[in-house]
Amino acid sequence: MIPTMELSTNNSKNHKYISKLNHDSFLQDLKKVNWNSYLQLSQSNPDISMNLFLVKINQLIEANTYKFKSKNKKIQKIKSWMTAGLLKSINVRNKIYKAYCKSTEASTKVRLNERYKIYRNQIVSITRLYKDRYYQTYFEENKNNSKKLWEGIKSLIALRKSKSNQKISLIINNNLETSNKNIANHFNKFFISIADCLVKKIPKTNQTFSSYMQNPNNNTFFMSPTTSLEVEKIIGTLNIQKSTGPNSIPTKILKQFDKILSNPLSSIINLSFQTGLFQNLLKNAKVIPIFKKGDKFDCNNYRPISL
């Protein structure tokens, strides 16, 4: 199946509400589902089984999710080297500064200003000390982990994150195209044509694939059924930081309720093994074009990231 193409847009500024899952009520509803009888409606069709499973999970998520108004305030992330005592001192410093700004008496302003400077200078010195200690320990502990090392370096030099959600424009048929739909369709055609272009570049040969195989196995390929325990272990290895696809259950939910969800999932996977069919829903991908270098109006200069 052809992957679906969607252009990433950032609408976070327009969100007035934040959604939150009630895990306790979700768990209770999840326990009530008789998956064996529910999935019997699939009539031995893995496509129907997967669809029933995802529909039911999404219904339960929606039924147990509530929304609340978000405060229109920027929440600053507490730095790793911050301590409770340092945060308390920062709050005291801020209160002194507010009192200084509100005061109208000259003598009081002078006194508050002197007190503010003492707190400010002490906080700067202590922060530098804590920060140095934190990074010395951090780099020593992660000296063999290149990913963690680069994360530490980036946090120190404050690299700006690339604006991957910027609006994309392309030159298509010598015309500037700004329509998201037309651009997505053009990217889609381009990305799925790459494999065919590479195949045409492969030199022709008169040898068959079997001539490259040494000591072939004459036995039939066999795949043993999976178990809920095996599925549960695989769920445990998933990275919650990775984005999910268009028909995926959030990884946090999968991991938190793995003991329950592993049972219906193992049944669906085994049904796929038995029928030799892979679910069509899972063949769809959300593809995000990421700019590499060169002309931003040329689709050849973008690489696809598939979720």
Side-chain angles (χ1 to χ4, degrees), residues 4-124:
T4 57
M5 168 68 71
E6 295 183 25
L7 292 182
S8 175
T9 56
N10 185 8
N11 295 322
S12 57
K13 293 182 180 179
N14 298 325
H15 290 176
K16 295 181 180 179
Y17 295 89
I18 297 176
S19 299
K20 187 173 183 180
L21 179 69
N22 187 328
H23 290 79
D24 293 332
S25 62
F26 177 79
L27 177 60
Q28 295 304 317
D29 288 347
L30 195 59
K31 288 180 177 178
K32 295 176 184 177
V33 181
N34 186 337
W35 289 107
N36 289 330
S37 61
Y38 186 74
L39 294 178
Q40 281 180 356
L41 301 172
S42 63
Q43 298 177 349
S44 300
N45 187 320
D47 271 332
I48 299 176
S49 290
M50 180 56 71
N51 184 63
L52 288 172
F53 175 73
L54 291 175
V55 167
K56 189 64 178 178
I57 294 298
N58 286 326
Q59 286 176 347
L60 295 180
I61 291 175
E62 187 175 351
N64 293 285
T65 299
Y66 60 92
K67 295 182 179 181
F68 58 93
K69 285 187 177 181
S70 62
K71 296 179 181 179
N72 189 21
K73 293 182 179 180
K74 290 184 177 179
I75 301 176
Q76 290 187 346
K77 184 178 179 181
I78 298 176
K79 302 297 183 181
S80 303
W81 58 83
M82 287 287 187
T83 64
L86 185 56
L87 288 172
K88 186 176 180 180
S89 298
I90 291 173
N91 288 331
V92 173
R93 179 203 63 187
N94 293 341
K95 287 180 181 179
I96 295 173
Y97 183 73
K98 287 182 180 179
Y100 166 81
C101 293
K102 290 180 180 180
S103 178
T104 56
E105 296 183 6
S107 59
T108 303
K109 288 183 77 72
V110 171
R111 177 175 56 83
L112 289 173
N113 186 39
E114 290 298 324
R115 193 179 174 199
Y116 167 77
K117 287 180 179 179
I118 293 172
Y119 265 91
R120 181 197 62 191
N121 295 340
Q122 288 179 344
I123 289 171
V124 169

Side-chain angles (χ1 to χ4, degrees), residues 148-164:
K148 289 290 185 181
L149 284 176
W150 277 111
E151 286 178 359
I153 293 170
K154 288 178 181 179
S155 66
L156 275 173
I157 60 179
L159 285 177
R160 292 183 180 180
K161 293 185 177 180
S162 61
K163 298 180 179 180
S164 59

